[in-house]
């Protein structure tokens, strides 16, 4: 016989192997003798989450007299959205709310305190011809120290910075130690309304003269991300009914350039409550101011969260 060709031998071997497999399947009821092999669907691993780094978030609270109640609404709204504040810097009215908040009070406690606050309890009229302001400011100082159980600035639950202006040199100062009530009183001492405050041989007046919204000082305190709250009037919407209104309008006009520069350079987010209808001397609208603060945060929240996440992942 002629030897078969190699291709024929390979074909025969393949047919024989196939027949053996089929026979095995038939004799075992369609099951292979070996352990069954199950196919496990493979899914791609989840994308690795971007590594987030710790970010120190600061609240920079600006001045604006009675309009400062809006700061409380801002704090309430930030807390409701789990925005953690690590340190606080305040000017004038912002230093009042900032000190209370830094002590450990939450937004609801601040709201309750604001509604129970009697304007007369923080007002002490000075005797004419003896002083350089209508109000001494001691009542405000005592109110704060009593409310805070005489806790000094350096013992607050959150780091606190209080901004005032040196009356002689015109230079700003950031109080981070010492008597809280005195520092806040100095920060709130609007010239000709409050007497200047003497501390350590220097006289100090309202911090709004040099830093209407203290974003730069929040940075100096170590903040990585600054949420600034601007409650000042715009000159075109300012009220000039009373002498106090005229004085506040003057400060607003004077502080526009300083404020714009500071916010543009040092603030990551600027929250501006809608307080156009509220005078800085009107304590009767505290509820409306608090609500305006809450509404302003709700409006800015998407931008705030986006920027904060970007900062945390280093974008």
């Amino acid at each position: 016989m002629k030897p078969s060709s190699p291709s024929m031998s390979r074909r025969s071997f393949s047919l024989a192997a196939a027949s053996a497999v089929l026979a095995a399947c038939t004799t075992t009821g369609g099951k292979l003798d070996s352990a069954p092999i199950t196919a496990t669907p493979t899914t791609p691993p989840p994308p690795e989450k971007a590594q987030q780094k710790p970010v120190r978030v600061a609240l920079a609270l600006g001045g604006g007299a009675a309009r400062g109640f809006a700061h409380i609404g801002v704090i309430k709204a930030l807390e409701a959205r789990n925005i953690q504040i690590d340190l606080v810097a305040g000017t004038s009215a912002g230093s009042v709310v900032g000190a209370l908040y830094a002590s450990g009070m939450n937004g609801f406690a601040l709201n309750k305190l604001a509604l129970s606050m009697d304007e007369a309890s923080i007002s002490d009229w000075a005797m004419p011809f003896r002083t350089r302001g209508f109000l001494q400011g001691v009542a405000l100082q005592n109110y704060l120290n009593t409310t805070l159980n005489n806790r000094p600035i350096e013992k607050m639950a959150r780091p606190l910075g209080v901004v005032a202006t040196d009356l002689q040199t015109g230079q700003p100062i950031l109080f981070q130690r010492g008597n809280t009530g005195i520092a806040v009183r100095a920060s709130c001492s609007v010239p000709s309304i409050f007497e200047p405050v003497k501390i350590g041989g220097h006289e100090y007046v309202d911090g709004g003269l040099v830093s209407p919204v203290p974003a730069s000082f929040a940075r100096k305190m170590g903040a990585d991300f600054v949420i600034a709250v601007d409650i000042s009037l715009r000159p075109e919407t300012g009220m000039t009914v009373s002498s106090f209104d005229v004085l506040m309008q003057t400060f607003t006009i004077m502080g526009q350039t300083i404020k714009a520069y500071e916010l543009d350079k040092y603030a990551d987010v600027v929250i501006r409550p809608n307080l156009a209808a509220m005078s800085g001397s009107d304590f009767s609208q505290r509820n409306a101011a608090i609500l305006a603060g809450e509404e302003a945060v709700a409006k800015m929240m998407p931008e705030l969260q986006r920027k904060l996440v970007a900062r945390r992942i280093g974008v």
Side-chain angles (χ1 to χ4, degrees):
M1 292 180 62
K2 270 177 93 178
S4 59
S5 66
S7 61
M8 287 294 292
S9 298
R10 284 194 296 271
R11 191 157 46 242
S12 301
F13 176 78
S14 299
L15 288 171
S19 299
V21 172
L22 288 172
C25 288
T26 303
T27 55
T28 56
K31 295 181 182 178
L32 295 174
D33 288 334
S34 59
I37 301 173
T38 56
T40 304
T42 58
T43 56
E48 188 177 347
K49 288 185 178 179
Q51 188 67 33
Q52 293 196 3
K53 61 181 180 180
V55 172
R56 294 191 79 198
V57 180
L59 201 54
L61 304 178
R67 295 157 65 91
F69 287 108
H71 290 316
I72 296 173
V74 168
I75 290 168
K76 286 176 63 180
L78 291 175
E79 287 181 338
R81 291 162 176 82
N82 297 315
I83 302 297
Q84 176 67 41
I85 302 300
D86 300 297
L87 58 96
V88 187
T91 289
S92 198
S95 72
V96 178
V97 176
L100 295 169
Y101 181 50
S103 74
M105 289 188 183
N106 63 21
F108 286 101
L110 291 172
N111 198 144
K112 182 178 179 181
L113 185 67
L115 297 182
S116 64
M117 179 188 291
D118 179 12
E119 187 181 351
S121 67
I122 59 172
S123 302
D124 49 358
W125 296 96
M127 292 296 293
F129 313 115
R130 185 181 64 84
T131 63
R132 292 176 289 166
F134 297 115
L135 298 171
Q136 291 178 309
V138 176
L140 172 62
Q141 172 185 322
N142 291 340
Y143 173 84
L144 268 172
N145 282 337
T146 300
T147 304
L148 299 173
N149 295 317
N150 293 309
R151 190 185 308 185
I153 296 173
E154 67 272 17
K155 297 293 185 182
M156 294 296 174
R158 292 181 178 87
L160 169 67
V162 176
V163 181
T165 305
D166 188 311
L167 183 59
Q168 183 175 6
T169 66
Q171 294 299 309
I173 184 170
L174 179 69
F175 291 108
Q176 293 183 274
R177 298 184 62 82
N179 186 300
T180 305
I182 292 178
V184 170
R185 174 188 167 195
S187 183
C188 293
S189 292
V190 179
S192 81
I193 299 295
F194 285 89
E195 292 182 336
V197 179
K198 184 170 285 189
I199 304 173
H202 291 256
E203 287 188 317
Y204 296 98
V205 291
D206 197 310
L209 293 173
V210 289
S211 183
V213 185
S216 63
F217 290 97
R219 293 282 184 193
K220 288 181 181 179
M221 291 172 65
D224 303 306
F225 189 91
V226 177
I227 302 171
V229 186
D230 179 13
I231 58 169
S232 62
L233 283 165
R234 294 194 304 273
E236 62 270 22
T237 61
M239 297 182 182
T240 54
V241 177
S242 66
S243 58
F244 181 79
D245 290 338
V246 171
L247 185 60
M248 294 305 293
Q249 174 76 342
T250 304
F251 286 162
T252 298
I253 294 168
M254 290 167 51
Q256 284 300 293
T257 303
I258 299 172
K259 183 181 71 175
Y261 171 80
E262 187 166 4
L263 292 179
D264 182 64
K265 185 170 183 179
Y266 298 105
D268 294 280
V269 173
V270 182
I271 296 172
R272 292 184 172 92
N274 183 8
L275 301 167
M278 182 177 180
S279 164
S281 59
D282 189 355
F283 279 75
S284 67
Q285 294 195 57
R286 61 190 76 181
N287 259 328
I290 292 171
L291 181 58
E294 294 183 55
E295 291 173 344
V297 171
K299 183 178 179 181
M300 289 293 297
M301 205 61 206
E303 178 184 347
L304 193 159
Q305 289 180 318
R306 175 176 56 79
K307 289 185 174 180
L308 188 53
V309 168
R311 181 60 54 85
R312 283 176 173 155
I313 63 176
V315 174

